[in-house]
Amino acid sequence: KQWYQRRVAITAGIDAKPKDLGLPTDAYIAVEEVHDDGTPTTRTFDHVKSEIGAEEAEEVGVEHLLRDIKDTTVGTLSQHLTTQVVALKSLHSKLQDISVYLTQVSDGKLPVNHPIIYQLQDVFNLLPNLNVPDLMKAFTVKTNDQNLVMYTASIIRAVIALHSLINNKTTNRAAEKEGSKKIEVEKEDKEEKEKDTKEDSNKKEVKS
């Protein structure tokens, strides 16, 4: 982490189809640009690599508030894929950090830390040997079975939602028809009452 004493300007960009995960923010700091021709210095913005995160206590509080909130528009399949993408991105970042560390150690820029090297060796020893055909086949079959179950559940959920939508539309149409029929009946009753009233008034005039 690197802390800046100067003010940092943060801009947020909204894209309908974001290419990267995370918050669409960029950070800039004001720097003085010195010119070689002797002209006065000018201020400009320099891009700073930034990342927005939260402390552990804040994450626990947010998870506690959001644990009962479910997005009904997002299916389990899309949630699973999004989780996998986020996990792969995090893994890629960690592997890059390990690669940078090992490169600096091999170049002599950093001292050798034996506990870290031992932990990395344990990680590499625990990795499965993906060159075995039977193991690769087992991984593929297991993954395909899990994805098939989620895909089938998503299709069933979509069909049930469409069925409920059709039933709701049919119920609304029936209610509209009943309402229009009720209005017509009331209109006919009103016309009949007005007609009877007129006939009564005409009879009274004839008698008089």
Side-chain angles (χ1 to χ4, degrees), residues 88 113 132 198:
L88 290 175
N113 191 326
V132 180
K198 289 181 179 180

Side-chain angles (χ1 to χ4, degrees), residues 94 97-105 110-125:
K94 301 301 181 184
D97 294 339
I98 293 173
S99 176
V100 171
Y101 171 75
L102 293 178
T103 302
Q104 292 181 355
V105 170
L110 290 177
V112 179
N113 191 326
H114 294 287
I116 295 178
I117 300 298
Y118 294 154
Q119 289 183 1
L120 292 176
Q121 187 63 46
D122 292 338
V123 170
F124 294 142
N125 291 335

Side-chain angles (χ1 to χ4, degrees), residues 142 147 153 184:
K142 184 67 174 178
N147 291 334
E184 290 179 357

Side-chain angles (χ1 to χ4, degrees), residues 123-134:
V123 170
F124 294 142
N125 291 335
L126 292 174
L127 290 176
N129 185 9
L130 299 180
N131 294 325
V132 180
D134 293 337

